[in-house]
């Protein structure tokens, strides 16, 4: 690059999952988009707020990010600490298309709000998937002792409540990924700008959004089946105990009955 060549514009992008939900209604400021909420910060920066608890900063300083997070604090439901994070670089490309080099910046033809919204959507989904992947990994770590007990002893010492809690954790992840976030759905901006679908498709491939969602769903299915199977084993064991207790009570009733008969016969 010669000394006369102007530098290629590049912006830092950072996605943070800060809560389970964020109220985006009635936000004051220079609003660029309503769905998702995008607000102009300074001359070139924007903040994109997603209702499922993620905010994406593009071109903001650390001080501007902290100030904006303070503004959002009263709108958070279920704050998350520490925040889940995903970072990237967004750079204007000189090519005729918008390729995403491996390990390099996200190249776009121009820093338009529509393109930045698509980048923010991909980063937001990626950061939610990252948190969900860690939660599911923790659930698998908890399930492993159950499986070891069943394999070595043929029974488990864990309670049914513990298995129901594991199932509940899996359902929460499934609800977040498939319900609130809707990873498989395209961003709303593509309805008005179908010409940007190629950019989103490449971002989708870069962050492996579909593949990660499918992997999560398979793991969730395994957790659900495991929890249900162990809960059934525990229920069967409990039913067997109840049947034994009933048989003992019946036997006691019979013995008492014979005792009364013999007692009367003796008198």
């Amino acid at each position: 690059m010669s000394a006369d060549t102007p530098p290629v514009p590049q912006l830092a992008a950072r996605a943070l999952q800060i809560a389970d939900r964020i109220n985006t209604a009635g936000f004051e400021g220079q609003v660029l988009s309503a769905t998702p909420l995008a607000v102009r910060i300074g001359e070139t920066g924007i903040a994109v707020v997603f209702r499922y608890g993620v905010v994406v900063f593009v071109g903001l300083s650390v001080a501007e990010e902290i100030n904006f997070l303070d503004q959002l604090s009263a709108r958070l439901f279920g704050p998350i600490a520490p925040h889940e994070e995903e970072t990237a670089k967004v750079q204007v490309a000189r090519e005729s298309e918008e390729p995403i080099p491996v390990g390099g910046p996200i190249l776009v033809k121009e820093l338009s709000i529509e393109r930045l919204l698509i980048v923010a959507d991909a980063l937001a989904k990626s950061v939610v998937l990252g948190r969900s992947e860690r939660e599911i990994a923790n659930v698998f770590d908890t399930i492993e002792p159950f499986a070891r007990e069943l394999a070595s002893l043929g029974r488990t010492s864990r309670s049914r409540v513990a298995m129901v809690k594991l199932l509940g954790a899996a359902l929460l992840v499934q609800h977040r990924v498939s319900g609130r976030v809707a990873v498989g759905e395209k961003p709303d901006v593509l309805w008005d700008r179908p010409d940007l679908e190629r950019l989103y498709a490449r971002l989708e491939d870069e962050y492996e959004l579909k593949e990660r969602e499918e992997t999560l769903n398979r793991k969730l299915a395994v957790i659900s089946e495991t929890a249900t199977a162990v809960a059934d084993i525990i229920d069967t064991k409990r039913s067997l105990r109840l049947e034994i207790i009933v048989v003992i009570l019946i036997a006691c009733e019979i013995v008492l009955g014979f005792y009364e008969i013999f007692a009367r016969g003796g008198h």
Side-chain angles (χ1 to χ4, degrees):
M1 183 181 296
S2 66
D4 296 332
T5 304
V8 178
Q10 186 180 84
L11 298 176
R14 189 160 79 112
L16 297 174
Q17 184 165 21
I18 60 176
D20 289 328
R21 287 187 300 113
I22 302 175
N23 178 17
T24 60
F27 195 90
E28 296 180 358
Q30 190 178 349
V31 177
L32 304 175
S33 168
T35 309
L37 174 66
V39 183
R40 173 69 69 189
I41 307 293
E43 295 183 2
T44 59
I46 67 167
V48 186
V49 184
F50 296 87
R51 286 179 292 182
Y52 49 79
V54 178
V55 56
V56 180
F57 299 116
V58 181
L60 270 66
S61 66
V62 174
E64 288 173 329
E65 291 182 5
I66 293 174
N67 181 59
F68 189 79
L69 290 175
D70 289 340
Q71 294 180 48
L72 288 180
S73 59
R75 297 173 171 267
L76 305 184
F77 297 90
I80 296 172
H83 302 328
E84 199 73 28
E85 182 177 347
E86 183 91 36
T87 60
K89 295 289 186 181
V90 183
Q91 181 175 308
V92 174
R94 299 187 183 280
E95 292 82 355
S96 58
E97 295 184 353
E98 296 171 312
I100 301 174
V102 177
I106 299 171
L107 303 181
V108 295
K109 291 181 180 177
E110 59 183 4
L111 296 174
S112 63
I113 181 61
E114 293 84 5
R115 284 176 168 81
L116 293 180
L117 285 177
I118 290 174
V119 170
D121 184 270
L123 286 173
K125 289 175 180 175
S126 181
V127 79
V128 170
L129 286 171
R131 180 193 174 201
S132 300
E133 288 162 351
R134 269 179 279 280
E135 289 181 345
I136 290 301
N138 291 335
V139 173
F140 268 98
D141 290 341
T142 308
I143 283 179
E144 187 176 357
F146 289 93
R148 289 185 181 277
E149 280 187 335
L150 288 174
S152 59
L153 304 176
R155 63 180 185 275
T156 177
S157 60
R158 308 304 174 94
S159 68
R160 190 179 194 279
V161 173
M163 296 311 302
V164 172
K165 286 183 177 179
L166 285 179
L167 188 57
L171 289 174
L172 282 174
V173 173
Q174 190 172 40
H175 171 66
R176 183 190 309 128
V177 174
S178 302
R180 279 185 286 170
V181 181
V183 174
E185 295 184 5
K186 296 180 180 180
D188 292 340
V189 67
L190 291 181
W191 288 99
D192 298 322
R193 294 292 304 274
D195 56 303
L196 298 179
E197 286 200 17
R198 180 176 294 180
L199 171 61
Y200 180 73
R202 292 180 177 179
L203 284 165
E204 198 173 43
D205 290 340
E206 171 70 14
Y207 291 99
E208 300 179 335
L209 300 182
K210 288 183 178 179
E211 293 82 356
R212 292 165 69 188
E213 182 186 24
E214 291 172 359
T215 300
L216 269 179
N217 286 331
R218 286 196 296 269
K219 290 181 177 180
L220 288 168
V222 170
I223 292 172
S224 178
E225 291 171 3
T226 303
T228 302
V230 175
D232 288 343
I233 292 172
I234 295 172
D235 286 344
T236 301
K237 186 178 179 180
R238 184 180 297 174
S239 298
L240 180 60
R241 287 177 179 173
L242 289 175
E243 290 175 2
I244 293 173
I245 292 172
V246 170
V247 170
I248 292 173
L249 289 174
I250 293 173
C252 291
E253 186 72 22
I254 293 173
V255 170
L256 288 174
F258 277 117
Y259 176 78
E260 290 180 0
I261 292 172
F262 284 124
R264 289 173 185 172
H267 288 296

